[in-house]
Amino acid sequence: MPTIGEAIRCSLWARSLAPDQLARVEATVVELFVPANGFVCRKGEPVESWLGVIEGLVKLGGFRNFTGAIVPAGGWFAEGSLLKDKLFKYDGIALRDSRIARVPRETFEWLLETSIGFSRFLLHQLNERLGQFIAITECDRVLDPDTRVARSLATMFNPYLYPGIENRLQLSQEEIGRLSGVSRQRANQALQVLEKAGILKVDYGRVTVLDVEALRSFGV
DNA sequence: TCATTAAATTGTT
DNA sequence: AACAATTTAATGA
């Protein structure tokens, strides 16, 4: 189990920091344990830190039964709310026991002002998120549920937003359904189609992605 | 280590 | 949506 400092040093954005900047991050970061089904953040709550998933899996959403995004270990989020709204506009729920890193707003803003590398990382991350968002709305127009499920799963394998994610996702078919905006029954059917196509493997309570590219381009 | 039981997940109608 | 079947995890001998 990595310490919080190790996890941060491994993250993509920390690599571009100078030693004194990294030191300040490590000095001000706070680790928070969130048990499965616990709230990492709540809609309407003021945002006072940038959040990173050290270990575990967090689901962002809270709109009806629709899930906006799944953030696996190595993913960072809330920068948009931190910069703009000052309030969370979604719930964050831990899908399993998770360790969350909280970088205080002052540190975050200081990095943004003093580190070009950090600014570039954020720019890139925001851009990737925009792309993800477009892909999701595009998904809504595609009627074929198999493709929708494939795309939703594929968004979790964005190497920039979520580096070093394992290809083994511990997600029940019910959660995959919520994630894709289809019923559990339909998600099950779609997963079987994708399994027969050799793109992924379904097991009890988890899916293993064998071919990310095929998953991404499925149905095109 | 193995059997039993409970809980979670999946398949079916 | 409800029910049955199956898998996993937990408990205790």
Side-chain angles (χ1 to χ4, degrees), chain A residues 42-90:
Chain A
R42 307 194 72 137
K43 187 159 67 174
E45 203 175 47
V47 186
E48 43 3 291
S49 36
W50 192 39
L51 302 176
V53 181
I54 302 301
E55 206 173 65
L57 206 59
V58 174
K59 160 179 80 171
L60 304 181
F63 326 105
R64 296 169 304 236
N65 61 349
F66 181 76
T67 308
I70 295 281
V71 184
W76 290 77
F77 61 99
E79 66 278 342
S81 307
L82 200 55
L83 291 168
K84 180 171 168 278
D85 301 321
K86 316 288 186 198
L87 296 178
F88 280 108
K89 43 188 188 295
Y90 43 74

Side-chain angles (χ1 to χ4, degrees), chain A residues 55-167:
Chain A
E55 206 173 65
L57 206 59
V58 174
K59 160 179 80 171
L60 304 181
F63 326 105
R64 296 169 304 236
N65 61 349
F66 181 76
T67 308
I70 295 281
V71 184
W76 290 77
F77 61 99
E79 66 278 342
S81 307
L82 200 55
L83 291 168
K84 180 171 168 278
D85 301 321
K86 316 288 186 198
L87 296 178
F88 280 108
K89 43 188 188 295
Y90 43 74
D91 285 330
I93 296 167
L95 290 176
R96 38 189 157 110
D97 290 356
S98 300
R99 292 164 62 208
I100 306 300
R102 308 211 300 188
V103 175
R105 151 176 268 124
E106 304 82 62
T107 305
F108 177 83
E109 289 179 347
W110 178 74
L111 283 178
L112 197 55
E113 281 173 22
T114 57
S115 168
I116 293 176
F118 188 73
S119 302
R120 282 186 55 206
F121 168 84
L122 265 190
L123 213 52
H124 198 154
Q125 162 140 328
L126 288 167
N127 189 46
E128 289 289 338
R129 255 197 224 302
L130 180 64
Q132 219 179 38
F133 181 72
I134 289 173
I136 288 171
T137 58
E138 202 177 53
C139 242
D140 270 338
R141 299 170 195 271
V142 180
L143 290 180
D144 178 19
D146 295 339
T147 309
R148 281 174 70 153
V149 171
R151 295 277 176 88
S152 309
L153 287 176
T155 61
M156 276 182 266
F157 291 91
N158 183 322
Y160 199 86
L161 291 179
Y162 317 126
I165 185 183
E166 313 164 28
N167 58 352

